[in-house]
Amino acid sequence: MGGMAEGDHGSGIGSFVAIGDSFTEGLYDPGPDDRFRGWADRVADVLAGRHPGFRYANLAIRGKLLDEVLAEQLPRAVEMAPDLVSLAAGGNDILRGSDVDTLAAHFEPGVAKLQAAGCRVVIFTGFDPRVFPVIRWLRGRIAAYNMHLRGIADDYGCDLVDLWSMRVLNDPRAWSPDRLHLTAEGHRRVALRTCEVLGVPVTGDWRAPLPPAAAGAGSRARWLAARRQDARWAREYAAPWVRRRVGGASSGDGLSAKRPELLALPAAGSAAPSAADWPGEVGQDLF
């Protein structure tokens, strides 16, 4: 696969703990057991196919802020002492207006604690939100946070998955109706990219363009359809999010991690994450 580092640098990964928020929980990627799957589960499946006895835990819970991830999930990950820990958090803080310099100042000690425990650490930049109205207003702040994360990755020598540069994710079809969470295909692409960064051989290419979009109506009709989608998004997703913020609630309230223990994961095969059909809507009011 183009761009993959030489050698199998993932050969020593016998255990993996994923911590974070809805991105790592895997929202909008429905699994076979009525739970969300997501990029982390997909990467774990690949690793399980390469390592007999591979163990995996996913502590991520939707709606979590960075400090909550660091206080609630990171100590548990340190206790488990896995070979690999993924840390992806801060997006919910940016949505709520948090200062990105302060976020980075909190993020860095978390990386240091994980490395002190002997864990290999992989972190993720934020996505480029330019494809959607309203959310793209956050683009500058996300870009600034990303620069901090790149600096942390350089300083600590940890792996970095640069989601901002994944042009294939600039296609709205890679995103769920809430415009904040990936579809199954989006999660598949992130899993492929993560495997590449980790040096784990895979057969797919995250860079492959999506199929051409079906020819639509004229420009006026497309504009009207886009405005109807914007109105639906504001009514079904943005408004409930605002109500929760006003009420001090979170989409993750009362939820527990989907895979809280570092347990063996049955080998599902050594192939890359399989392609998935475009899913329909699997839920609402999730961010």
Side-chain angles (χ1 to χ4, degrees):
M1 180 164 123
M4 186 168 64
E6 294 183 3
D8 182 358
H9 301 295
S11 59
I13 303 175
S15 53
F16 170 34
V17 175
I19 64 176
D21 52 28
S22 58
F23 167 65
T24 302
E25 185 185 347
L27 263 63
Y28 280 98
D29 184 7
D33 53 0
D34 295 325
R35 295 188 302 181
F36 290 110
R37 191 182 182 194
W39 68 267
D41 287 17
R42 290 169 178 267
V43 169
D45 285 342
V46 175
L47 293 171
R50 299 175 58 80
H51 303 280
F54 173 82
R55 296 176 299 149
Y56 172 56
N58 189 320
L59 309 182
I61 297 176
R62 70 194 71 172
K64 291 297 182 182
L65 302 174
L66 173 61
D67 283 348
E68 292 174 325
V69 172
L70 298 177
E72 300 166 8
Q73 300 175 24
L74 187 142
R76 181 62 180 141
V78 168
E79 290 175 4
M80 294 176 177
D83 297 322
L84 174 69
V85 176
S86 66
L87 172 58
N92 290 318
D93 301 80
I94 291 175
L95 281 171
R96 298 187 187 193
S98 298
D99 178 73
V100 297
D101 298 331
T102 301
L103 288 178
H106 291 190
F107 194 102
E108 182 173 353
V111 171
K113 289 177 182 177
L114 291 169
Q115 287 195 333
C119 305
R120 180 177 177 181
V121 181
V122 58
I123 65 177
F124 297 75
T125 69
F127 298 101
D128 183 351
R130 66 179 178 176
V131 296
F132 293 119
V134 181
I135 296 174
R136 63 170 167 247
W137 293 345
L138 300 172
R139 197 174 186 225
R141 299 180 64 241
I142 295 172
Y145 187 49
N146 287 350
M147 292 305 296
H148 281 300
L149 296 178
R150 292 186 183 103
I152 292 170
D154 287 343
D155 289 344
Y156 288 86
C158 54
D159 297 291
L160 176 73
V161 179
D162 188 0
L163 302 176
W164 183 281
S165 67
M166 292 181 65
R167 296 181 181 177
V168 69
L169 298 182
N170 290 337
D171 190 315
R173 292 176 295 169
W175 295 91
S176 68
D178 72 4
R179 303 179 176 180
L180 288 177
H181 298 104
L182 296 169
T183 59
E185 178 66 10
H187 279 285
R188 187 181 75 88
R189 300 298 181 120
V190 171
L192 289 169
R193 179 74 175 107
T194 303
C195 285
E196 177 182 284
V197 168
L198 295 175
V200 178
V202 288
T203 58
D205 188 350
W206 62 267
R207 301 170 183 81
L210 296 174
S219 58
R220 174 64 177 175
R222 289 197 301 271
W223 185 89
L224 290 173
R227 300 295 74 75
R228 286 193 294 269
Q229 291 174 356
D230 292 343
R232 180 188 175 193
W233 173 81
R235 181 178 64 254
E236 297 186 2
Y237 299 101
W241 183 86
V242 171
R243 286 196 295 270
R244 284 200 304 278
R245 295 292 73 74
V246 172
S250 168
S251 58
D253 288 346
L255 298 181
S256 57
K258 65 179 181 179
R259 193 176 176 87
E261 303 297 333
L262 187 60
L263 299 175
L265 188 68
S270 58
S274 60
D277 295 331
W278 295 107
E281 295 182 29
V282 295
Q284 296 180 354
D285 195 19
L286 292 172
F287 66 96

